[in-house]
Amino acid sequence: MEVSSPIDVLRLRAELDTVARVQFQVPLSEADYRTLAAILAEHPSVTLRAYGFDAELSTLRFLRWFPHLRRLSVAGLFHLTDLTPLHQLDADVEFLDLGETRKPLDLTPATAFRGLRELRIASHRRGLADLLHTNPNLQGLAMWRLPVDRILPAVTLPHLQSLSLTLGSLTDAEWLTQIPTLRYLALRDVRRLTNLEPVTRLTALQWLILHALTIDQLPDFSPSTALLRVDLNGMRRLRQPNALDRLAAAPRLQDLRVTQSSLPVEAFIPFTSHPTLAHVGVGLGSERRNLAAEHLLGRTPPRGDEYFAATHNLLYIL
């Protein structure tokens, strides 16, 4: 929900029960900062986001009005250069989104927060290892545009349930096995990754998202006894008729979504007799091929992302 001064308080209160985020891109009046802070104190699960190109917002001085804020995003606050003003927040911040800025940031000031549950980082490397070390109770972590295993060769995150890697690199998927508690994993446009076999050894994994990876074959998913849903998006190197055979070995798979795909319709034959698969969505480049696959499979469309996550108590992050 976007706000600006003067804030429509009645509209804000009416919508806060259904929105996940309140955001602004120009400074508010002092009176409106006070009002917004008071209202957000009543809705601690709502994220406050400041973004855009305004120089005053980029100083983070506005945070003095929100000392008890639990969830903060500065993704897209492009002129932000210093995180020191985060000290204006109480130490019990739960969610921090240090997203896109024009220049990478030093994350050291954020290590003052030791109770983070969710963290999103885009491109910022300096201080990242220390930030993760001081937050061992992280449950959700999203990292964008980072050479993950090069800057974090070893990680100890014993409570991490959800991990999303986007537009960075991962030399060896074995790195993922350091986090056996993962229940949700998204690998999107991750360079250098060629072998996904270690993913099948994540015994708690329930939802796997693969997007635009340079993978030409999938591993045998028969060991993935907890896996319920797989999304394959833009996996164009998977194009052989047998490309999905070893995915169909996942014994409890319920939902499958394959989009922006070069696969032939016959690649889905192994799923026709899958005992638990109930929901399938396909995008094969033409309406004719889509309809043929849907007719072959005879399943209903996949459940929505948020609905699926809520149903299985998963933390959905990107």
Side-chain angles (χ1 to χ4, degrees):
M1 177 182 180
E2 189 81 19
V3 295
S4 59
S5 288
I7 288 179
D8 185 337
V9 175
L10 292 178
R11 174 174 170 265
L12 177 61
R13 287 190 178 277
E15 295 190 18
L16 270 184
D17 289 332
T18 58
V19 301
R21 181 174 65 199
V22 173
Q23 62 185 26
F24 50 81
Q25 58 180 318
V26 294
L28 306 179
S29 68
E30 290 191 3
D32 280 338
Y33 278 134
R34 290 192 189 95
T35 298
L36 182 57
I39 294 175
L40 288 180
E42 302 169 4
H43 296 82
S45 63
V46 174
T47 300
L48 178 67
R49 179 191 180 205
Y51 72 104
F53 298 90
D54 187 87
E56 171 61 26
L57 284 185
S58 297
T59 67
L60 299 185
R61 281 194 286 262
F62 70 89
L63 290 178
R64 69 186 186 275
W65 302 106
F66 300 91
H68 306 302
L69 191 68
R70 293 292 176 267
R71 301 177 62 88
L72 173 67
S73 170
V74 291
L77 190 57
F78 289 103
H79 294 304
L80 178 62
T81 60
D82 183 10
L83 293 176
T84 302
L86 290 177
H87 73 81
Q88 299 170 99
L89 299 178
D90 287 349
D92 48 0
V93 171
E94 297 177 355
F95 169 71
L96 201 54
D97 181 354
L98 303 176
E100 300 76 4
T101 56
R102 283 195 168 177
K103 295 181 179 180
L105 301 172
D106 181 356
L107 301 175
T108 302
T111 61
F113 305 123
R114 297 174 179 267
L116 291 175
R117 294 293 183 267
E118 298 176 53
L119 177 65
R120 179 178 179 270
I121 300 291
S123 301
H124 316 303
R125 305 183 188 188
R126 187 177 179 186
L128 177 57
D130 288 340
L131 180 56
L132 296 182
H133 178 72
T134 56
N135 285 277
N137 293 319
L138 269 177
Q139 296 177 7
L141 174 62
M143 294 188 287
W144 289 58
R145 299 184 180 89
L146 291 170
V148 176
D149 50 351
R150 183 157 64 84
I151 63 173
L152 298 169
V155 291
T156 304
L157 294 169
H159 302 286
L160 196 69
Q161 298 183 23
S162 297
L163 175 67
S164 176
L165 305 179
T166 303
L167 291 172
S169 64
L170 184 63
T171 305
D172 189 346
E174 196 70 32
W175 183 90
L176 297 166
T177 62
Q178 298 179 89
I179 318 172
T181 51
L182 286 179
R183 300 173 60 216
Y184 165 98
L185 174 63
L187 302 171
R188 306 189 305 150
D189 290 279
V190 178
R191 301 184 307 277
R192 301 182 181 177
L193 194 57
T194 57
N195 177 23
L196 291 177
E197 186 278 330
V199 172
T200 68
R201 288 185 266 125
L202 299 173
T203 57
L205 190 65
Q206 293 179 267
W207 185 357
L208 175 64
I209 298 175
L210 304 177
H211 175 88
L213 303 182
T214 55
I215 298 286
D216 54 18
Q217 62 179 347
L218 296 175
D220 176 11
F221 278 90
S222 58
S224 303
T225 56
L227 191 63
L228 302 178
R229 172 170 170 171
V230 173
D231 293 38
L232 304 175
N233 180 38
M235 299 286 288
R236 297 194 179 277
R237 294 200 181 189
L238 297 177
R239 53 172 64 110
Q240 299 302 319
N242 64 348
L244 301 182
D245 287 7
R246 293 192 285 181
L247 175 59
R252 295 180 56 209
L253 194 64
Q254 297 177 2
D255 288 59
L256 175 66
R257 187 193 303 271
V258 180
T259 55
Q260 299 181 41
S261 174
S262 302
L263 285 166
V265 172
E266 55 265 35
F268 294 89
I269 291 176
F271 294 101
T272 57
S273 58
H274 196 288
T276 60
L277 187 66
H279 310 282
V280 179
V282 296
L284 304 180
S286 75
E287 184 176 1
R288 178 185 62 80
R289 294 170 68 203
N290 293 348
L291 290 174
E294 291 168 5
H295 178 73
L296 172 71
L297 293 162
R299 264 69 168 197
T300 58
R303 292 167 284 184
D305 296 343
E306 299 290 348
Y307 177 83
F308 183 86
T311 300
H312 296 283
N313 195 29
L314 294 168
L315 178 58
Y316 175 60
I317 58 173
L318 292 174

